[in-house]
């Protein structure tokens, strides 16, 4: 074999080896590119999923916060409403106590006894004026409606009427009247307060 043929053979082998290496390198580069594209695509999908989860979590937190804020506002409204109604009750009681003069007390006692009928026991506060007791006794002296009249230390204001034969007793005081008025006024006040709180 001649040297030329040998050189040709070596050149051919070299060329084939280089071509094979180039093909293998190109194949490796293509595989690397494909893998890089897959990694990028997976990362993008994961990023989108994470963003979507974060948006859902943020919306859930916002909804919970809004719910808690609304509940706190309702609680505050109810608390203020109750405080105002309690204040109204106290004001009513004070006003009624101030208005419950001996003359008004006498008139109320006589009216109640007139409506109740005979055989009642009347109890007045311990601090009731003696002339009030005398006036009530004189007014009722002509009829047999009153069984007895006395003073009671447990009654701070107002009066108590008992009809023993029928088993009932009524205590009429500024507190009782205020409570009664407050019960009947409360729905109107609640509606006013509700309307104000919604405005």
């Amino acid at each position: 074999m001649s040297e030329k043929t040998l050189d040709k053979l070596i050149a051919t082998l070299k060329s084939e080896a280089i071509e094979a290496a180039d093909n293998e390198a190109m194949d490796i580069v293509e595989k690397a590119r494909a893998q890089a594209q897959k990694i990028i695509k997976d990362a993008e999908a994961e990023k989108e999923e994470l963003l979507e989860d974060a948006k859902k979590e943020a919306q859930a937190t916002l909804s919970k916060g809004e719910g808690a804020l609304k509940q706190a506002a309702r609680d505050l409204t109810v608390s203020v409403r109750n405080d105002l109604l309690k204040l109204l009750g106290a004001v009513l009681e004070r006003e009624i106590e101030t208005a419950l003069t001996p003359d008004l007390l006498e008139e109320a006692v006589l009216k109640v006894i007139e409506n109740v009928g005979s055989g009642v026991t009347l109890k007045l506060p311990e601090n009731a004026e003696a002339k009030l007791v005398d006036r009530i006794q004189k007014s009722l002296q002509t009829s047999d409606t009153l069984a007895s009249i006395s003073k009671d230390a447990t009654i701070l204001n107002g009066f108590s009427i008992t009809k023993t034969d029928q088993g009932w007793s009524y205590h009429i005081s500024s507190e009782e009247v205020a409570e009664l008025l407050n019960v009947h006024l409360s729905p109107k006040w609640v509606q006013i307060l509700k309307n104000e709180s919604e405005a």
Side-chain angles (χ1 to χ4, degrees):
M1 191 186 257
S2 73
E3 207 174 297
K4 279 188 179 186
T5 309
L6 189 60
D7 283 345
K8 252 187 186 184
L9 184 60
I10 291 172
T12 304
L13 286 172
K14 242 190 206 181
S15 165
E16 285 176 6
I18 290 171
E19 191 177 321
D22 280 347
N23 286 341
E24 193 176 328
M26 291 287 267
D27 192 37
I28 290 170
V29 168
E30 281 304 314
K31 284 179 182 175
R33 277 192 186 129
Q35 188 149 4
Q37 288 291 359
K38 185 180 182 312
I39 290 169
I40 289 170
K41 190 176 179 183
D42 290 348
E44 286 290 328
E46 190 176 344
K47 178 184 91 172
E48 289 300 318
E49 190 178 328
L50 287 172
L51 281 173
E52 193 59 36
D53 288 348
K55 281 180 187 174
K56 286 177 183 174
E57 195 172 322
Q59 186 59 44
T61 303
L62 184 63
S63 295
K64 283 180 188 174
E66 285 174 351
L69 187 60
K70 284 178 183 174
Q71 182 62 45
R74 280 192 297 269
D75 291 349
L76 180 63
T77 301
V78 167
S79 175
V80 168
R81 188 181 307 153
N82 289 342
D83 289 347
L84 286 173
L85 288 171
K86 194 183 294 183
L87 179 65
L88 174 66
V91 168
L92 278 172
E93 187 177 329
R94 191 176 64 238
E95 288 299 314
I96 291 166
E97 195 170 332
T98 303
L100 199 58
T101 62
D103 291 339
L104 182 60
L105 188 62
E106 178 185 355
E107 190 178 329
V109 166
L110 295 174
K111 196 58 139 171
V112 169
I113 290 175
E114 177 187 313
N115 287 323
V116 169
S118 62
V120 294
T121 302
L122 172 66
K123 290 182 183 176
L124 294 169
E126 190 69 43
N127 63 356
E129 298 174 7
K131 44 183 195 174
L132 171 64
V133 177
D134 290 341
R135 284 196 326 237
I136 292 172
Q137 280 179 327
K138 282 180 186 169
S139 297
L140 296 171
Q141 210 168 21
T142 55
S143 64
D144 62 347
T145 55
L146 194 62
S148 71
I149 185 169
S150 63
K151 290 186 177 184
D152 187 340
T154 61
I155 299 173
L156 300 176
N157 61 29
F159 59 95
S160 175
I161 292 205
T162 305
K163 196 151 184 172
T164 314
D165 62 340
Q166 292 182 5
W168 58 258
S169 181
Y170 288 115
H171 184 71
I172 299 169
S173 66
S174 56
E175 293 91 359
E176 298 290 328
V177 173
E179 190 176 317
L180 185 63
L181 284 173
N182 198 19
V183 165
H184 288 289
L185 290 178
S186 290
K188 290 184 186 266
W189 277 99
V190 167
Q191 191 58 43
I192 288 168
L193 293 169
K194 187 177 178 186
N195 291 344
E196 284 301 314
S197 64
E198 289 174 354

